[in-house]
Amino acid sequence: MYATVDEVAARLTKPVLPEERPRIEALIGDASAYVADYCTGAWDRSKPPAIFKTVVCSEVMRWLAVQPGIVSERVGDVEVQFGPASAAQQLSPAAKASLRRYRRSLTSIRLEREKG
């Protein structure tokens, strides 16, 4: 895993309660798996780039802010709309942009027939 609960907690504006730790640990595992899957290029697997931690913490915080099944909320006159399911967990476009340099790019090779 590319981050810890304490590293996520340091970025939150509230303390992490003991009952929240298992969920945050699971989200860190999920985000780390997404980052590892996305970053298919050449990088030192024994010492991942620092941006991996930043992206994982950011994605976990984003996922924590999403309430499962809630489509929209409104504070004035308290309105909440529920949908059939929440948005799928995935790397955000900003996370993908940050990780792009660690992703293998597509290339092509030129094939030529031998003459003669």
Side-chain angles (χ1 to χ4, degrees):
M1 291 199 287
Y2 298 126
T4 65
V5 174
D6 291 334
E7 289 168 335
V8 172
R11 292 160 173 82
L12 292 172
T13 57
K14 65 178 189 71
V16 173
L17 301 174
E19 59 269 15
E20 294 174 315
R21 290 184 83 79
R23 179 174 182 227
I24 293 173
E25 287 171 356
L27 292 174
I28 290 170
D30 294 347
S32 295
Y34 280 125
V35 167
D37 187 56
Y38 187 79
C39 297
T40 56
W43 49 275
D44 184 359
R45 301 292 196 251
S46 65
K47 189 176 189 301
I51 191 69
F52 287 14
K53 179 191 306 185
T54 304
V55 167
V56 167
C57 289
S58 297
E59 293 301 286
V60 168
M61 290 171 50
R62 186 174 64 84
W63 295 343
L64 286 171
V66 174
Q67 295 296 322
I70 295 179
V71 176
S72 68
E73 293 181 79
R74 187 167 150 196
V75 176
D77 296 329
V78 188
E79 177 184 316
V80 177
Q81 292 181 354
F82 293 93
S86 64
Q89 273 182 225
Q90 59 186 4
L91 291 177
S92 67
K96 288 179 180 180
S98 297
L99 298 170
R100 189 165 292 128
R101 68 189 244 193
Y102 301 102
R103 185 171 175 82
R104 183 179 301 132
S105 59
L106 296 176
T107 59
S108 62
I109 57 171
R110 184 177 172 173
L111 301 175
E112 293 185 13
R113 254 182 219 242
E114 285 186 30
K115 296 180 182 178

